[in-house]
Amino acid sequence: MSGYRIDELARAAGTTVRNVRAYQDRGLLPPPRLEGRVGFYDDSHLARLRLIGKLLARGYSSVIIKDLLAAWETGRDVGDVLGLEKVLTDPWSDELPGLVTLDELIATFGPGRNDDQVADDLDRAIRLGFVEPDGDHFRVPSPRLLHVGAELVAAGIPLDAVFDIAQQIRDDCDVIAGRFVDLVHEHVFRRLEDGPVPTGEELGEVAEVVRRMRPLVKMVVDPFIARAMETRVQAALGEQLETIRDHMAGVPAGSEE
């Protein structure tokens, strides 16, 4: 392949051909390489498009983005540009996606459910991001999440309840992620907006902050969720556990020591 045609580039970047052309007109995206009358884009265009999309989503204006890109392209170290682009666009998980068939999904999650129920379940699983249609298979972005859902269903929890809790946890995690990102945006990225054109050193510092957030987020969330689970489990199941211990010790139910 010579590269991406404009429609292929837009699809790969999750945007539209109209947006690609608009970014080019505003000077945010370099022009394609021409072969005859056909323009071809490469991976650098794709990385730039993804970066533009993420910066726009965080509230940066196209004017600020253009100033940053122009500064990078006129004398800034290319490594600074690539470093920030990589940090902002790389996935935050090293988990490899998987593939499953519809029959495998039904065998795991929907035995005994009729066709309408299976269709509703599949639609909800797609909306929650558990699976994505991929030809005659389904792509699984996170096999770990699918495994957790399968374990819960195998434990006797209804699939609808699993979907409900997945939606709630996803929303909670979105709030947590938003708080971390807002913290960095307010105290780190804001300096790039309010101050002069950032230097390569400043861009490197920002990239390093974002990179360090990856383990820090897990380090914060894991102990908090562990403590919360300890408290919740003890409060909700303490009495039941006491009853089970008494039963195992041969103490009649309702008796007092």
Side-chain angles (χ1 to χ4, degrees), residues 58 92 173-186 213 216-221 224:
R58 289 303 310 151
W92 277 54
C173 289
D174 186 63
V175 171
I176 294 172
R179 288 173 177 163
F180 272 96
V181 171
D182 289 344
L183 181 70
V184 175
H185 181 263
E186 178 66 25
M213 282 181 62
L216 291 178
V217 171
K218 293 183 179 180
M219 289 172 64
V220 169
V221 173
F224 273 125

Side-chain angles (χ1 to χ4, degrees), residues 237-251:
L237 303 179
E239 184 177 344
Q240 287 84 346
L241 291 174
E242 185 67 29
T243 301
I244 292 173
R245 284 196 296 266
D246 289 344
H247 178 72
M248 294 178 66
V251 178

Side-chain angles (χ1 to χ4, degrees), residues 165-176:
I165 193 64
Q167 176 72 62
Q168 294 166 11
I169 292 176
R170 190 183 71 170
D171 292 344
D172 292 340
C173 289
D174 186 63
V175 171
I176 294 172

Side-chain angles (χ1 to χ4, degrees), residues 15-226:
T15 186
T16 65
V17 170
R18 181 178 179 180
N19 282 341
V20 174
R21 290 183 173 138
Y23 297 153
Q24 285 182 203
D25 292 341
R26 296 172 188 170
L28 301 179
L29 190 69
R33 172 176 51 83
L34 292 177
E35 292 186 7
R37 300 181 61 183
V38 180
F40 288 95
Y41 302 81
D42 57 29
D43 288 335
S44 66
H45 291 94
L46 179 59
R48 177 66 60 83
L49 269 181
R50 288 173 173 168
L51 175 61
I52 292 171
K54 288 180 180 293
L55 292 177
L56 288 173
R58 289 303 310 151
Y60 288 90
S61 69
S62 59
V63 174
I64 292 176
I65 295 173
K66 183 178 180 179
D67 287 344
L68 288 173
L69 296 178
W72 292 338
E73 291 171 349
T74 54
R76 305 302 182 194
D77 188 338
V78 174
D80 298 329
V81 183
L82 296 178
L84 186 57
E85 286 185 353
K86 180 175 176 56
V87 168
L88 291 179
T89 59
D90 272 358
W92 277 54
S93 172
D94 58 0
E95 186 175 14
L96 297 177
L99 284 177
V100 295
T101 65
L102 179 58
D103 289 341
E104 289 172 335
L105 289 173
I106 293 175
T108 302
F109 296 98
R113 297 172 78 85
N114 59 44
D115 291 343
D116 289 339
Q117 290 174 321
V118 169
D120 290 342
D121 294 340
L122 188 58
D123 179 67
R124 196 170 183 189
I126 293 172
R127 284 188 282 110
L128 284 170
F130 285 147
V131 296
E132 300 170 353
D134 187 2
D136 58 353
H137 287 72
F138 289 90
R139 181 177 180 271
V140 183
S142 174
R144 296 171 190 165
L145 283 180
L146 200 69
H147 174 72
V148 170
E151 289 294 315
L152 293 175
V153 169
I157 298 176
L159 182 57
D160 289 338
V162 173
F163 280 141
D164 289 341
I165 193 64
Q167 176 72 62
Q168 294 166 11
I169 292 176
R170 190 183 71 170
D171 292 344
D172 292 340
C173 289
D174 186 63
V175 171
I176 294 172
R179 288 173 177 163
F180 272 96
V181 171
D182 289 344
L183 181 70
V184 175
H185 181 263
E186 178 66 25
H187 297 284
V188 179
F189 273 82
R190 187 70 70 188
R191 297 200 303 265
L192 301 184
E193 298 179 21
D194 298 339
V197 175
T199 65
E201 182 179 354
E202 289 172 328
L203 293 177
E205 291 175 355
V206 172
E208 181 61 23
V209 169
V210 177
R211 186 181 298 109
R212 289 168 60 188
M213 282 181 62
R214 298 172 186 249
L216 291 178
V217 171
K218 293 183 179 180
M219 289 172 64
V220 169
V221 173
D222 285 351
F224 273 125
I225 193 64

